[in-house]
Amino acid sequence: MCYFTRIANIDDIPYITQIYNEGIEDKIATLETDSKTEKDMEAWLTNRSESHKVIVITDQRGKIYGWASLNTFNNRCCYSGVADFSIYIKRDMRGKGLGKLLLDALEKTAKKEGFHKLVLSAFDSNEAGKRLYKSRNFREVGTYIKQGLLDGQWVDITVMEKLLD
């Protein structure tokens, strides 16, 4: 099957919301515990800066299977060239290479938008996610021990980065 990436638009919100809520339910990629409404995610999409794009991955019919976003790393202007990012894949499509395609598209978009570095925070236990990032030449910076609380348990968070220059 062929897949395509493109910049997300407001019509994509129902799919982005569904996929994000699967990620929240599965507890492998976010410390968020409350499901989001389409209204929540519409505000999230429309209140982003012009350079912090959201990308979706679709099949040839336009069905959305995942999304990725460039996020603000830090509001201080000295960090304006650094973007945090998120990637979420529809539950039944994980492990099929869509994350690599989305990450490649996200990197190209980040360069086009003037970012020189991407950073992320991943659950230390998320081996599949860390494998994806390492396969795309991200390096582990370190691990915060007991950094975030999820279901009453402290979880370790691994920080990774990649220079785009």
Side-chain angles (χ1 to χ4, degrees), residues 26-115:
D26 295 344
K27 300 178 187 206
I28 59 168
T30 180
L31 291 168
E32 186 66 58
T33 56
D34 296 328
S35 293
K36 301 299 175 194
T37 66
E38 289 180 20
K39 185 176 180 181
D40 294 332
M41 296 306 286
E42 183 176 328
W44 168 82
L45 181 66
T46 58
N47 291 323
R48 306 176 72 75
S49 79
E50 183 61 31
S51 61
H52 291 92
K53 306 286 190 207
V54 177
I55 299 170
V56 294
I57 189 163
T58 70
D59 62 15
Q60 62 271 17
R61 298 169 317 206
K63 183 175 180 181
I64 295 173
Y65 293 106
W67 60 269
S69 61
L70 292 169
N71 308 313
T72 301
F73 168 71
N74 187 305
N75 286 325
R76 293 175 58 200
C77 65
C78 59
Y79 295 111
S80 63
V82 180
D84 175 48
F85 71 94
S86 301
I87 293 182
Y88 288 89
I89 305 294
K90 195 169 176 343
R91 185 181 288 138
D92 62 350
M93 294 299 289
R94 294 178 192 154
K96 300 180 188 293
L98 300 183
K100 287 181 182 179
L101 296 171
L102 259 177
L103 189 50
D104 288 347
L106 195 69
E107 285 185 34
K108 288 176 187 164
T109 301
K111 287 180 188 178
K112 183 177 174 187
E113 294 299 325
F115 293 105

